Amino acid sequence: MSVPVWFVLTPNVLLLDYAGPAEALRMAAEMGGDLLLHHCAPTPRLGTSLTVELGGLSALPPELPPNSLVIVTGNACEAQDYARPEAHAVVNWLRCAPRADTCTASICSGALLLAAAGLLDHRRCTTHHSLIDDLRAVAPTARVLENRVFVEDGPVLTSAGVTTGIDLALYLIERHAGADLAARVARRLVVYQRRSGHDQQLSPWLAHRNHLHPAVHRAQDAIAQEPARAWTLAELAARAHVSARHLSRLFAEHARIGVLAYQQHLQIAQARELLADGRLSVERVAELSGFNSARDFRRVWQRHEADTPSARRRGTSTAR
């Protein structure tokens, strides 16, 4: 089922806050992601930070379809822009329109609109560094975090804004359309796949991909598509169109990790997800994750985690 994506704009929108994430999601849809983009505002036309106008905007929908993704963009001059009736209309819409299954995100100062609507109450959140104190004033019960690319708390995500909106968009693409597509979109945009250092926001499927070497990406794409497969170095080299020896050198130089270690990194990531299914034994998780035995699985697990697979399943693990 398609994921409806609603970009919500207000007059004097900071154009990069809007265009960066919107282009990333448009490319994801064009490249096979089941995403359906909409662009809406309180008025059919509005001005932007670059003085050019945007037209053909849809009205704010009175109701949202199931599993919608709402992205509220930032503005160039919040003090004046958010005092306008159009901004108040967006706040009122945010109070009423989102459903329980709606994911709501903000770019930069868009967090102030989410806060005014009460969506950040008692949640962790962030915004542009120049607006941290403003956000704390509007959302006094929120835990406003500084120096974060973006913060996720339940169904609400907030970003630091401007180019970090692209980071947030890549994360949302990964969530809704898969890590492989997010990686391909990032390469098409020619951007690093940055992520916050916060553990809950760091995707193991996108780690070690903060580089632009196409051969290494081809090998990493192959492993990500079939992490449980017993890939040989020769097979991966063939996918990457380089020699096996050269691929090993490229991995070390650009991904900063060995080929085998990267394979195991993704196998452990898959195992973490499978352990959430209480119907699967640890032995079955090991098999589905590509390990030869539960013993091998536990041995590699210990290199990555401070607990045991059984403890992780019981929810008694202690994060590093």
Side-chain angles (χ1 to χ4, degrees), residues 174 199 202-208 262 265-266 269-270 272-273:
E174 178 204 350
D199 288 343
L202 182 63
S203 167
W205 299 95
L206 295 179
H208 303 290
Y262 182 75
H265 174 79
L266 293 194
Q270 178 152 305
R272 290 191 199 103
E273 297 175 3

Side-chain angles (χ1 to χ4, degrees), residues 23-303:
E23 280 293 346
L25 286 157
R26 181 195 66 79
M27 289 179 184
E30 182 180 83
M31 295 162 68
D34 203 1
L35 306 165
L36 186 60
L37 272 61
H38 306 270
H39 309 269
C40 59
T43 57
R45 300 184 64 85
L46 51 78
T48 72
S49 59
L50 294 180
T51 70
V52 296
E53 280 196 340
L54 296 175
L57 299 168
S58 302
L60 298 171
E63 294 183 3
L64 290 170
N67 301 309
S68 288
L69 170 58
V70 172
I71 302 176
V72 181
T73 59
N75 274 56
C77 188
E78 299 79 21
Q80 288 78 26
D81 298 340
Y82 291 163
R84 298 177 60 152
E86 294 91 343
H88 293 308
V90 167
V91 170
N92 291 331
W93 179 80
L94 287 169
R95 288 184 179 134
C96 304
R99 304 157 40 104
D101 58 5
T102 297
C103 175
T104 306
S106 66
I107 312 297
C108 198
S109 62
L112 296 175
L113 298 179
L114 268 58
L119 298 183
L120 301 184
D121 290 351
H122 307 289
R123 295 189 185 278
R124 293 177 299 110
C125 57
T126 195
T127 187
H128 191 274
H129 58 82
S130 66
L131 300 171
I132 290 292
D133 290 340
D134 296 296
L135 184 57
R136 285 176 174 147
V138 180
T141 67
R143 182 185 171 195
V144 181
L145 304 179
E146 302 181 45
N147 300 320
R148 298 297 180 90
V149 172
F150 64 87
V151 172
E152 179 178 15
D153 191 331
V156 179
L157 300 97
T158 50
S159 76
V162 197
T163 58
T164 65
I166 297 175
D167 294 287
L168 177 59
L170 289 171
Y171 178 80
L172 293 169
I173 292 167
E174 178 204 350
R175 172 195 279 185
H176 293 289
D180 177 66
L181 181 59
R184 289 191 286 123
V185 170
R187 292 202 299 279
R188 184 173 173 184
L189 289 169
V190 198
V191 298
Y192 286 156
Q193 296 182 71
R194 298 181 303 274
R195 288 296 179 271
S196 162
H198 198 266
D199 288 343
Q200 284 75 9
Q201 296 178 16
L202 182 63
S203 167
W205 299 95
L206 295 179
H208 303 290
R209 303 199 65 155
N210 194 17
H211 64 86
L212 299 175
H213 199 286
V216 180
H217 276 306
R218 284 193 289 268
Q220 289 176 309
D221 287 345
I223 297 170
Q225 289 166 5
E226 297 182 83
R229 177 173 169 176
W231 288 99
T232 67
L233 184 58
E235 289 173 329
L236 292 171
R239 291 289 186 96
H241 308 302
V242 296
S243 71
R245 186 175 180 180
H246 190 43
L247 180 62
S248 294
R249 288 197 298 264
L250 291 174
F251 247 87
E253 178 182 354
H254 296 279
R256 306 293 183 184
I257 191 173
V259 178
L260 177 59
Y262 182 75
Q263 292 182 68
Q264 292 176 341
H265 174 79
L266 293 194
Q267 287 177 307
I268 292 297
Q270 178 152 305
R272 290 191 199 103
E273 297 175 3
L274 293 172
L275 284 169
D277 187 345
R279 298 169 298 178
L280 298 176
S281 66
V282 172
E283 289 72 17
R284 182 59 175 157
V285 169
E287 179 185 354
L288 292 174
S289 301
F291 293 95
N292 292 326
S293 67
R295 181 179 179 180
D296 285 344
F297 169 45
R298 291 188 176 94
R299 175 177 53 80
V300 176
W301 177 274
Q302 289 175 352
R303 298 175 188 166

